[in-house]
C-alpha cells in the first residue's frame, strides 16, 4: 500500500545509541520505515500485549522525517555524553520509536516516544529500575498525576555529582519519555 502511494523503504536504521540511553524497539518487531519526500511512515502493533492484532500507521513530517529520510542522516554524528547513562530498553509490550539525545557541557536530554497503553507509574518504575541498576539513585517517590509523572535521581561519577529527572508525558497510546541530566555545581 505504501509503495503504491510513492513511499520507499528507508533501509536499515541504527536502533541503539552507542553511549547508552533510550533504545528503540528493534526493527524486526515492525515493518520498518518508508519515506516519501519529507514524510516518513511507520506501522506497528498498537499494544502487543493487550491488542496484538491492532495495527496503527504513523506519519511524521518535518524534522523527524528529514533525519530519517534526508541526506543529513548520513552526516549525523553521535554526541559526546558527559556522564554514564545505562541503556534504557522499552517495557515489554511497548514499542519505542525514535531515540535522541542533545548534550552541551554539563547538561543534556535523552528522549524517546513509546506506543503503549501502560500507565505512567509503570513506565516510571520500569526505567527507574534500569537507571538504578546503572548506579543512579532514585530520590524520593515519583510524582504522578493526570497522565504525567516525574522521578528525580542522583549519581556520582568520579568527582562529579549529577542530578536527573525522568519525565513521562502523554495519554491514549502514546507516551513521551525524557531523561534530563545536569551536573550539580
Amino acid at each position: 500500500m505504501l509503495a503504491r502511494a510513492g513511499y520507499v523503504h528507508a533501509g536499515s536504521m541504527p536502533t541503539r545509541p552507542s553511549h547508552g540511553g533510550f533504545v528503540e524497539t528493534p526493527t524486526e518487531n515492525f515493518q520498518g520505515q518508508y519515506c516519501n519526500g519529507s514524510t516518513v511512515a511507520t506501522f506497528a502493533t498498537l499494544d502487543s500485549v493487550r491488542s496484538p492484532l491492532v495495527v496503527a500507521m504513523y506519519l511524521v513530517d518535518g524534522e523527524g522525517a528529514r533525519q530519517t529520510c534526508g541526506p543529513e542522516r548520513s552526516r549525523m554524528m553521535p554526541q559526546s555524553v558527559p556522564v554514564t547513562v545505562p541503556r534504557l530498553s522499552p517495557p515489554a509490550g511497548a514499542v519505542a520509536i525514535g531515540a535522541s539525545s542533545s548534550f552541551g557541557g554539563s547538561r543534556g536530554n535523552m528522549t524517546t516516544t513509546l506506543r503503549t497503553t501502560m500507565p505512567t507509574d509503570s513506565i516510571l518504575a520500569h526505567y527507574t529500575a534500569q537507571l538504578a541498576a546503572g548506579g543512579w539513585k532514585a530520590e524520593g517517590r515519583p510524582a504522578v498525576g493526570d497522565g504525567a509523572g516525574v522521578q528525580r535521581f542522583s549519581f556520582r561519577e568520579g568527582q562529579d555529582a549529577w542530578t536527573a529527572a525522568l519525565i513521562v508525558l502523554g495519554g491514549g497510546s502514546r507516551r513521551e519519555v525524557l531523561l534530563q541530566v545536569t551536573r550539580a555545581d
Side-chain angles (χ1 to χ4, degrees), residues 106 161 182-185:
S106 62
T182 304
R183 184 174 21 232
D185 292 324

Side-chain angles (χ1 to χ4, degrees), residues 72-164:
E72 57 274 2
R73 181 181 99 192
S74 62
R75 293 192 305 262
M76 291 175 64
M77 298 295 290
Q79 295 181 339
S80 174
V81 179
V83 64
T84 301
V85 175
R87 294 168 66 111
L88 302 171
S89 299
V95 175
I97 51 172
S100 64
S101 62
S102 172
F103 281 87
S106 62
R107 64 179 156 200
N109 299 311
M110 294 180 167
T111 61
T112 191
T113 299
L114 297 179
R115 285 188 286 211
T116 185
T117 55
M118 181 180 284
T120 300
D121 60 345
S122 297
I123 295 169
L124 282 171
H126 172 80
Y127 286 120
T128 294
Q130 292 182 27
L131 285 162
W136 288 82
K137 181 182 175 201
E139 299 292 339
R141 298 177 57 93
V144 179
D146 260 353
V150 64
Q151 174 67 58
R152 291 181 44 90
F153 294 89
S154 62
F155 183 72
R156 182 160 291 282
E157 188 165 64
Q159 297 296 322
D160 294 327
W162 292 83
T163 60

